[in-house]
Amino acid sequence: MVLLGTKKGSAIIVMSSLLQCKFWLNKHKPWIETSYRGLITENTDEVLLDPPLVALDKDAPVPYAGEICAFRVYGLDAPFEAVVLNRTSGEGQLRAHRPIDCEHQREYTFIIQAHDCGGGPGGTGGKRSHKAVVHVQVGDVNEFSPVFSSLEYSGSVLEGRVYDSILQVQATDEDCSPQYSQICNYQITTEDTPFAIDRNGNIRNTESLSFDTQPHYEISVTAFDCGQKKAKHSATVHIHVKPICKPGWRGWTKRVDYEPGIGSKQLFPKMHLETCEGAVSSVQTTVELQTRHIGKGCDRETYSEKSLQKLCGASSGSTDLLPAPSAAFNWTASLMTDGGRDSDLIYRFDGRQAANIPDWITPQNLTDQFTIATWMKHGPSPGLRGEKETLLCNSDKTEMNRHHYSLYVHNCRLVFLLRRDFTQGDSFRPAEFHWKLEQICDKEWHYYVINVEFPVVALYVDGVTYDPYLVTDDWPIHSSQIDVQLTVGACWQGEVSKARFTQHFRGSLSGLTLRPGKIESQKVISCLQACKEGLDITSLESMDKGIKFHFNPAQSVLVMEGEDLEQVNTALRKVSYINSRQFPTPGTRRIHISTTVQCFGEDVCISIPDIEAIVMVMQPSEPRITITGAEQLNMPASDLALGLLLFRDLHIFSTVTKSDGIVPNTDHRSGVLDEMVHNLDYCDILVLGEELKKGLESLHLPRSALLGKHLDYTNSTTGMSIYGKHSTNVRNTELKSLHTLRTGMSARSFRVSCSELNGRYTSNQFTLQFISSTYCIAALCSSTVTDCSPSVSLMLYYPLLPCSSVVTTPMDPHRAGAIWVVDHSQHCSNTDIVVVVC
């Protein structure tokens, strides 16, 4: 601006003229800071600068020259631009003109320069500031999740050791900043594992591991970055437990399934002994089959006691005092059974039960020789000194309380009492025999046989003989006319004022028999208590000669010994389980194997752990016994004098229940049992309604039907029982031979039922109704019919039925239903006799 003149008015005129000029003088450059630092968050466009972007110009407030029109950014590929927010104040803003990715570039350095607006609207004569350096750092966003370098990791440990680090897993994060790109934590997501992981990914075991318990572990691991972002995909870590070389048996399974009927089955076909390269001089192995929980100590034949005795060749004439309940043997019906009928018939006595044996069953005359046998399971008596517990007692039925003979337990001692009477001698003789054995109170099943050859009494327990530790003498009993009572489970006290049972037994009994006149041999005793299951050796002929082996009598324990390890391994692979019962008791049998190893020059060098396994006997296919035949039998009464075959059309057959239905017993190879080897042990024929009339009616079975078949029967007015193990075909023959003699009823009904394994499997109840065609006799003469001729009196075997009418017209006497007149006037006065065939 030029001042013309000195007068005040003239100066104002000159200034006004200058303001109206089109171009202004631009004397100064804009000013900015020399350097800036900025921060931009990725995926945004605004840059926060420190200090703020502001350009100053000393030409202000002169228009244009004092205003800021632009900021210019200089730099290779700098993705930023600066804009003027206010020309007058010079405020500007730095921003990105394309997306910023921290992972691509974390910071930028470039130049920025401010431009004023120059001398006028066209920007001519504009000035630029100095160049300032701008450093922009890109702020990170936690975009990415951690990613494992591998999704599968594998490591191994030696059993029994705890490691500081088994293996290390590693994850990375693609975020650019340390906060989000670093992995701050690892975590095992699998629950209940014996492992831990640290923040660096090192996995360790928290406890020692066992190869036998679990040889392999699979765990899942995840990772977190420092922003707590979790990995999208977990890593799987496999940790294998390596066994240390521990001596012991290898290649065996803990369970062996046994299907009934397959015979002998190898228990451990791939078994071998690992000695960890130790040189051994000998190996001794004991294999034990534990069956104490099965039946009476193991799987035995459960046919009736009499059937078993016949099969074992025992002397005849024994009396089964604890038979299966039936129509003929009903005194055991009130006793408690234990174990059901899946195996043995067992009676349990809890101190309150007892049974009186009927007089017709009780042997009347025990000679100097007789045998008492029973299965017994018994535990210690309650209290310090328990009461006497009577198994079998023969005492006075009334008036007195004398014990003639008895078998009882007292304080875990077995005592047999035998009181002779004066007719057998009047001297002081042995009367009480005492045995003290562990078996009596060990709560296990044992087979007891007492053989009496007076005055010598021998006790066999499980086939082993024992002498009494104490024998006491006593005087004979005075003879009397008092009847005696034989009792099982207690002793009958026959005093008039308080007749009752006393000295009750607490325990279990089975197969209690009494045989007068004979004693049992060792061979028969062994047969009667023999197990039907046990250990076996397959291909015994191929056994190496260097192997010594020994079975116990029950074949439940096998001891093998050899010097060559491979021969011992081969021998143990041949050890088998066998159950010869047609219908074995299902369930588990435990196998225990213990081993002793000796080394050269040492007594015992290494220790071999015992092993436990089980044999699972599967449920056998159960038979169904069916009796069929004609259910009604009509017969003229005249044919009954010589007897009538009742069951001529009867047939007994067996089927086996399978999963696909019921099939006949015809094919053993396909798993279906052959009918010819299907055995029954008793059949009952029960008279329904009124009992048979003694002297007039009876059931008869020819002895020829029983010869050579180990069979026997009982016969009474209530029916007949045929017992003894034999096939269904033999039973058919027996029952078809059964006939009645002189039946005195016009109608009779009989019920037949059969059973196998002492009642474990029973048949249907087959009912036969017999109807006789009977003569009706009307006596019209004054005398009785018994005065008539023998031809008429023969009919008196049959009841006289009322006739609805009497017709005197002669007709055919051989035609059923005929009515005819017989002239017997020479015997019967006044009139004739009319005979009606009804």
Side-chain angles (χ1 to χ4, degrees):
M1 180 176 61
V2 180
L3 183 62
L4 298 177
T6 57
K7 291 185 179 180
K8 184 177 181 180
S10 301
I12 294 172
I13 294 173
V14 173
M15 179 65 70
S16 174
S17 299
L18 290 172
L19 292 172
Q20 295 177 4
C21 290
K22 192 172 184 179
F23 301 98
W24 307 99
L25 295 176
N26 189 3
K27 297 175 60 178
H28 301 91
K29 297 187 296 182
W31 178 89
I32 57 176
E33 299 287 347
T34 57
S35 65
Y36 293 90
R37 286 195 169 276
L39 177 65
I40 182 172
T41 303
E42 62 177 340
N43 302 325
T44 64
D45 59 358
E46 183 179 352
V47 181
L48 301 178
L49 286 177
D50 183 24
L53 182 58
V54 177
L56 301 178
D57 197 316
K58 292 183 178 180
D59 293 325
V62 177
Y64 300 107
E67 296 178 346
I68 304 301
C69 276
F71 293 97
R72 297 286 187 266
V73 175
Y74 304 94
L76 293 175
D77 297 328
F80 297 99
E81 62 182 2
V83 295
V84 178
L85 299 179
N86 191 316
R87 295 174 58 175
T88 302
S89 64
E91 296 180 58
Q93 183 180 24
L94 185 64
R95 61 189 181 188
H97 60 72
R98 69 169 187 258
I100 301 299
D101 187 358
C102 177
E103 288 71 40
H104 176 70
Q105 187 169 341
R106 295 183 60 183
E107 62 180 22
Y108 295 88
T109 300
F110 51 90
I111 302 298
I112 193 170
Q113 195 174 39
H115 294 252
D116 62 16
C117 295
T124 59
K127 294 185 179 294
R128 294 174 292 181
S129 68
H130 59 272
K131 293 180 179 179
V133 179
V134 180
H135 297 280
V136 176
Q137 186 175 6
V138 180
D140 189 19
V141 175
N142 197 3
E143 300 175 277
F144 297 96
S145 302
V147 177
F148 284 96
S149 58
S150 174
L151 291 179
E152 297 279 343
Y153 291 87
S154 182
S156 61
V157 297
L158 198 62
E159 66 173 343
R161 291 183 53 184
V162 177
Y163 291 77
D164 293 332
S165 177
I166 300 172
L167 58 89
Q168 184 182 26
V169 298
Q170 190 173 11
T172 58
D173 195 307
E174 294 183 2
D175 288 310
C176 64
S177 66
Q179 179 182 2
Y180 299 137
S181 65
Q182 291 184 1
I183 305 301
C184 281
N185 189 28
Y186 291 92
Q187 182 178 325
I188 295 176
T189 58
T190 304
E191 297 181 353
D192 300 327
T193 59
F195 300 97
I197 190 170
D198 62 18
R199 60 185 304 170
N200 296 319
N202 294 304
I203 297 177
R204 61 182 177 87
N205 56 318
T206 58
E207 60 186 51
S208 60
L209 306 177
S210 169
F211 175 83
D212 295 331
T213 302
Q214 188 168 343
H216 170 255
Y217 292 86
E218 181 179 304
I219 60 176
S220 296
V221 176
T222 190
F224 296 87
D225 61 23
C226 295
Q228 293 304 303
K229 197 175 187 69
K230 182 180 178 181
K232 291 183 178 180
H233 302 286
S234 298
T236 301
V237 180
H238 299 273
I239 298 178
H240 302 274
V241 181
K242 292 183 177 180
I244 61 174
C245 188
K246 293 187 298 185
W249 291 102
R250 304 281 192 270
W252 58 279
T253 57
K254 292 186 176 181
R255 169 171 167 161
V256 179
D257 288 342
Y258 182 85
E259 291 288 345
I262 65 173
S264 182
K265 181 172 183 178
Q266 288 178 264
L267 295 175
F268 311 111
K270 299 181 180 179
M271 192 175 189
H272 68 278
L273 181 62
E274 176 62 62
T275 61
C276 298
E277 300 181 357
V280 299
S281 60
S282 68
V283 179
Q284 184 185 81
T285 301
T286 301
V287 183
E288 181 182 1
L289 175 67
Q290 299 174 347
T291 60
R292 295 178 179 176
H293 61 291
I294 301 296
K296 298 193 294 286
C298 68
D299 228 353
R300 295 182 168 91
E301 288 290 12
T302 55
Y303 291 101
S304 67
E305 198 64 26
K306 281 199 172 184
S307 299
L308 291 177
Q309 289 173 355
K310 286 182 176 293
L311 291 173
C312 290
S315 304
S316 60
S318 68
T319 301
D320 188 357
L321 302 180
L322 286 177
S326 66
F329 307 108
N330 57 7
W331 65 89
T332 58
S334 62
L335 299 179
M336 294 189 302
T337 58
D338 187 12
R341 291 199 168 181
D342 284 339
S343 55
D344 298 289
L345 181 60
I346 295 169
Y347 291 97
R348 181 166 59 88
F349 298 84
D350 62 357
R352 293 185 297 240
Q353 286 79 30
N356 281 331
I357 308 301
D359 293 339
W360 64 275
I361 289 291
T362 303
Q364 298 300 317
N365 296 313
L366 290 183
T367 63
D368 288 345
Q369 284 188 337
F370 61 92
T371 299
I372 299 175
T374 186
W375 287 94
M376 180 177 73
K377 182 170 73 171
H378 180 264
S381 304
L384 296 178
R385 296 187 62 83
E387 298 179 354
K388 292 180 180 180
E389 299 178 56
T390 302
L391 288 73
L392 178 67
C393 181
N394 185 266
S395 60
D396 292 329
K397 183 177 291 187
T398 59
E399 300 182 23
M400 303 181 71
N401 187 30
R402 298 178 303 172
H403 295 186
H404 297 262
Y405 63 87
S406 66
L407 180 64
Y408 61 91
V409 175
H410 188 212
N411 292 325
C412 291
R413 291 165 174 81
L414 186 65
V415 183
F416 175 62
L417 169 68
L418 178 60
R419 299 289 303 277
R420 316 278 286 180
D421 59 42
F422 272 99
T423 61
Q424 297 171 306
D426 57 356
S427 60
F428 208 53
R429 304 297 297 273
E432 277 192 340
F433 303 83
H434 299 249
W435 292 270
K436 184 179 181 181
L437 304 174
E438 293 181 357
Q439 295 93 319
I440 296 172
C441 285
D442 65 358
K443 297 182 180 180
E444 302 291 346
W445 280 106
H446 300 285
Y447 188 55
Y448 298 83
V449 177
I450 295 179
N451 272 346
V452 178
E453 283 186 295
F454 195 81
V456 177
V457 176
L459 170 68
Y460 292 85
V461 180
D462 299 329
V464 180
T465 182
Y466 296 91
D467 293 326
Y469 80 94
L470 175 64
V471 178
T472 60
D473 296 342
D474 204 345
W475 292 104
I477 295 177
H478 290 282
S479 300
S480 70
Q481 299 301 317
I482 300 175
D483 292 334
V484 293
Q485 176 64 61
L486 185 61
T487 307
V488 174
C491 200
W492 180 253
Q493 186 169 325
E495 295 173 308
V496 177
S497 60
K498 49 180 179 180
R500 60 187 177 91
F501 288 116
T502 186
Q503 299 177 5
H504 286 83
F505 179 69
R506 293 178 176 86
S508 297
L509 297 176
S510 181
L512 176 59
T513 61
L514 179 60
R515 176 179 291 104
K518 293 184 180 180
I519 62 172
E520 291 297 1
S521 66
Q522 178 77 43
K523 180 179 179 181
V524 170
I525 293 173
S526 298
C527 175
L528 290 173
Q529 58 97 36
C531 292
K532 305 302 287 184
E533 63 180 336
L535 299 173
D536 192 19
I537 298 178
T538 58
S539 302
L540 185 60
E541 65 279 358
S542 63
M543 181 77 73
D544 292 307
K545 295 182 179 179
I547 298 297
K548 301 176 182 178
F549 64 92
H550 172 71
F551 284 102
N552 70 333
Q555 284 196 215
S556 61
V557 178
L558 168 63
V559 180
M560 284 187 168
E561 185 175 0
E563 296 178 356
D564 184 271
L565 180 59
E566 190 54 41
Q567 288 183 358
V568 174
N569 288 335
T570 302
L572 260 294
R573 296 187 192 114
K574 296 177 179 291
V575 177
S576 305
Y577 169 80
I578 187 170
N579 194 317
S580 60
R581 289 191 64 194
Q582 191 174 18
F583 304 104
T585 304
T588 60
R589 278 78 163 157
R590 297 193 178 277
I591 301 289
H592 178 84
I593 300 180
S594 58
T595 306
T596 302
V597 176
Q598 292 184 345
C599 296
F600 293 98
E602 302 179 22
D603 292 336
V604 177
C605 53
I606 57 177
S607 177
I608 306 297
D610 294 353
I611 64 175
E612 301 282 347
I614 64 170
V615 176
M616 179 60 71
V617 178
M618 311 306 288
Q619 180 74 38
S621 300
E622 296 192 354
R624 178 179 296 176
I625 307 167
T626 305
I627 304 176
T628 61
E631 297 181 358
Q632 185 168 320
L633 182 62
N634 297 306
M635 185 63 62
S638 60
D639 294 347
L640 295 181
L642 299 178
L644 169 67
L645 293 175
L646 288 176
F647 305 109
R648 64 186 69 181
D649 298 322
L650 182 138
H651 180 61
I652 306 174
F653 64 94
S654 170
T655 56
V656 175
T657 303
K658 290 287 190 180
S659 58
D660 55 350
I662 299 178
V663 295
N665 291 353
T666 56
D667 188 0
H668 181 68
R669 292 168 299 175
S670 64
V672 181
L673 302 176
D674 189 351
E675 184 177 350
M676 293 303 295
V677 298
H678 185 76
N679 296 304
L680 305 177
D681 58 1
Y682 77 77
C683 286
D684 276 344
I685 301 94
L686 180 65
V687 178
L688 301 181
E690 184 180 347
E691 294 184 7
L692 298 179
K693 296 181 179 180
K694 289 185 178 181
L696 291 178
E697 301 173 288
S698 65
L699 295 174
H700 177 69
L701 185 63
R703 299 299 298 180
S704 59
L706 307 179
L707 289 178
K709 299 174 182 177
H710 297 295
L711 299 175
D712 208 341
Y713 71 94
T714 60
N715 196 0
S716 69
T717 58
T718 60
M720 177 180 290
S721 290
I722 307 172
Y723 50 86
K725 176 187 173 186
H726 232 296
S727 69
T728 53
N729 286 347
V730 174
R731 279 294 190 273
N732 283 320
T733 303
E734 297 162 8
L735 292 177
K736 288 179 180 179
S737 301
L738 182 68
H739 59 275
T740 63
L741 287 179
R742 300 175 61 188
T743 182
M745 296 288 286
S746 62
R748 277 287 189 189
S749 293
F750 301 89
R751 178 178 296 162
V752 182
S753 62
C754 295
S755 122
E756 178 168 8
L757 298 179
N758 215 9
R760 179 176 175 183
Y761 304 115
T762 57
S763 71
N764 61 307
Q765 293 186 340
F766 174 78
T767 301
L768 171 69
Q769 186 178 19
F770 160 71
I771 302 175
S772 65
S773 300
T774 311
Y775 294 106
C776 281
I777 304 175
L780 302 184
C781 58
S782 59
S783 61
T784 62
V785 179
T786 55
D787 295 329
C788 296
S789 68
S791 62
V792 177
S793 64
L794 178 63
M795 302 173 189
L796 294 180
Y797 286 119
Y798 315 105
L800 304 181
L801 301 181
C803 297
S804 58
S805 61
V806 176
V807 181
T808 59
T809 305
M811 300 181 68
D812 183 4
H814 300 290
R815 182 163 51 88
I819 304 173
W820 74 96
V821 177
V822 182
D823 185 4
H824 293 293
S825 57
Q826 67 272 27
H827 298 286
C828 292
S829 58
N830 301 328
T831 186
D832 295 331
I833 294 176
V834 180
V835 179
V836 181
V837 181
C838 300

